[in-house]
Amino acid sequence: ERLTIMFAFNKVLSALALTLVVGGAAASTQSLKFVDSNGDLALSTSYIDILGVQRGSNDYSTGALRFENAAGASFYAYCVELAQDHASSRRGFQTYTEGSFSSAETKLLQGLFATSFSSSLSGTEQAAFQTAVWEITHESAGNALNVASGQGAFFVKALSSGTGADNTAFVASVNGYLQAALGYAGPDLYTITKLSNGTYQDLLTV
């Protein structure tokens, strides 16, 4: 269960670009392989699945994921599908199809990246950033962006370790990212793409 946003490690970002073919033709695909995760903070979350059933993930190591493409370009990503896990590295390359998010989600994701992303985020901050992406892509329309326990369709139940104060601080950090995204009124700085796979979690790339 993870949301995914790509960041190139090297200067081959252009190799990650995907082209959506319009006019009835199929969207392009990309072969990607999961390498490892830098998630060092585990938490439990709750979400509503596509059937309207409240489900959850428990003690899930949360943070950025590292992938590589067929050209050997290595990049970080965040997961955008709570109902599935990523393919293990031993499963090799998997095929992902290019798509997009709703206009409301795209606007919030633009704001989230513009205001809060940095390559120097700590492990806890990466987990909070990932959680903010989940809230943006899983919260029901009309609900406030708030990951406190019991709030809305998606929320954080608790950190897997630490105190109640740690949990409160983490939730406040995520909500701070979300409020900054909501308040962003600047230009679009990123091209945001959704990569979908029927077996493994979908990815958010920028």
Side-chain angles (χ1 to χ4, degrees), residues 19-27:
T19 302
L20 180 60
V21 181
V22 295

Side-chain angles (χ1 to χ4, degrees), residues 69-90:
N69 68 7
S74 180
F75 57 89
Y76 275 120
Y78 296 93
C79 145
V80 293
E81 189 170 14
L82 287 159
Q84 293 180 312
D85 203 351
H86 57 73
S88 64
S89 56
R90 64 183 172 81

